[in-house]
Amino acid sequence: MRIDVLSIFPEYLAPLELSLIGKAMTEGVLELSVTDPRSYATDRHRTVDDTPYGGGAGMVMKPEPWAQALESVTAASPSSGQPALVVPSPAGEVFTQEIAYELAEQEHLVFACGRYEGIDERFIEWASDHAVVRPMSLGDYVLNGGEVAVLAMVEAVTRLIPGVIGNPESLAEESHTGGLLEYPVYTKPAVWRERAIPDTLLSGHHGHIARWRRDQQLHRTAQRRPDMIEQLDPAELNTADLSILSEHGFRVINGSLQVCAPDPEDGGGH
Ligand SMILES: C[S@@+](CC[C@H](N)C(=O)[O-])C[C@H]1O[C@@H](n2cnc3c(N)ncnc32)[C@H](O)[C@@H]1O
């Protein structure tokens, strides 16, 4: 995969050279480079922003330096089709693990990191003739620039590329894969500061351990992210799963899981 990041603060992306992503680059699994749109500004001050039409606070990034920066990276695109252009924006679609898997399939990903009040909208419109444009938000809050969002998205995407993570099996049971959060994990010693790990994990019984982990996933997701439970297909849950969820007030109603008042018969305690 090739990744191009367009940013007026190229140094912000330096951490990508560390750890597993840096190793993937060294090993040739991943090619990553950063282009500064400011190098395409033509005036003496290398201006990349200007005041907004219609008035208002802040500055808007001028479209031409961004267009030239994008042209420079699409001209050298390894992709047979159009590259994907991710434009970080709090007004974008929320980035998820599912989208990370989609983007991990791409041959060429370009990220355009806005600053100030964002990039002139005509750049986004023009870019859609040259790339598959995806305005993407990291979450419902506002950052100063797209670079931090790109660090997070590039890490989430590239760790899914075969060969980047040492043990690909570790991806299979992670939070957000399969619609549930991950179960709690423990390591040695078995007793730490008078806290023992759950007995089941020492039993050596694979079936019991798998069931315990599944129960923990269901409890944790129901408590922390009930919205994720509502997205589950009840047809894919067994009786034990449904029993755990009923402790958190979930019932199957008209083919979907919905929260109702907890059933006192179900007890609790986990
Ligand atoms: C100060 S923000 C601009 C916010 C813009 N005025 C708005 O309200 O939608 C500057 C830049 O930070 C980035 N950014 C801010 N919040 C983000 C988020 N939640 N997800 C992704 N990028 C974000 C975008 O690149 C954005 O262009």
Side-chain angles (χ1 to χ4, degrees):
M1 175 189 277
R2 180 180 167 82
I3 293 181
D4 280 288
V5 184
L6 315 182
S7 165
I8 61 164
F9 291 114
E11 310 79 27
Y12 233 117
L13 286 310
L16 290 176
E17 287 171 18
L18 303 173
S19 187
L20 292 176
I21 303 178
K23 188 162 161 270
M25 285 196 261
T26 314
E27 291 173 353
V29 179
L30 177 68
E31 201 186 334
L32 190 145
S33 91
V34 185
T35 301
D36 184 352
R38 201 181 285 282
S39 55
Y40 294 96
T42 48
D43 66 321
R44 202 155 56 93
H45 301 292
R46 301 232 153 155
T47 311
V48 287
D49 59 327
D50 210 331
T51 52
Y53 276 115
M59 301 294 271
V60 175
M61 304 205 84
K62 294 160 77 65
E64 186 58 22
W66 286 91
Q68 290 192 28
L70 181 63
E71 280 170 337
S72 76
V73 301
T74 52
S77 179
S79 176
S80 40
Q82 288 185 330
L85 173 65
V86 176
V87 184
S89 164
E93 176 187 7
V94 176
F95 182 70
T96 60
Q97 185 71 1
E98 204 178 333
I99 294 174
Y101 271 104
E102 268 174 50
L103 296 180
E105 299 286 320
Q106 298 286 326
E107 275 177 280
H108 188 192
L109 279 180
V110 185
F111 292 87
C113 305
R115 281 260 150 188
Y116 317 126
E117 294 308 314
I119 310 171
D120 188 310
E121 192 64 24
R122 291 167 297 177
F123 164 72
I124 316 287
E125 289 162 17
W126 168 85
S128 59
D129 289 338
H130 305 268
V132 179
V133 180
R134 299 192 68 169
M136 201 72 71
S137 171
L138 208 56
D140 292 342
Y141 42 81
V142 179
L143 302 164
N144 284 337
E147 289 78 5
V148 167
V150 168
L151 288 175
M153 290 191 266
V154 167
E155 185 156 310
V157 169
T158 53
R159 66 195 294 282
L160 302 176
I161 300 171
V164 172
I165 292 254
N167 179 3
E169 278 178 27
S170 62
L171 299 175
E173 293 188 347
E174 283 183 326
S175 298
H176 303 291
T177 300
L180 294 174
L181 303 179
E182 200 186 46
Y183 46 80
V185 293
Y186 304 88
T187 187
K188 296 172 191 72
V191 180
W192 172 78
R193 296 196 181 198
E194 295 172 20
R195 289 167 185 271
I197 64 162
D199 290 339
T200 312
L201 298 180
L202 289 172
S203 68
H205 191 297
H206 296 305
H208 290 175
I209 293 172
R211 184 65 244 173
W212 181 86
R213 286 180 167 165
R214 174 86 179 162
D215 290 353
Q216 295 302 314
Q217 285 190 283
L218 290 160
H219 282 307
R220 183 176 265 192
T221 312
Q223 284 162 346
R224 298 181 184 175
R225 293 291 304 274
D227 58 304
M228 288 173 65
I229 299 290
E230 285 168 7
Q231 299 303 315
L232 296 175
D233 178 357
E236 290 177 6
L237 302 176
N238 61 28
T239 316
D241 295 336
L242 291 170
S243 161
I244 297 280
L245 292 178
S246 74
E247 291 178 31
H248 297 274
F250 284 97
R251 300 274 179 285
V252 180
I253 299 170
N254 297 331
S256 71
L257 281 154
Q258 295 176 29
V259 188
C260 310
D263 186 342
E265 301 275 306
D266 285 334
H270 44 84

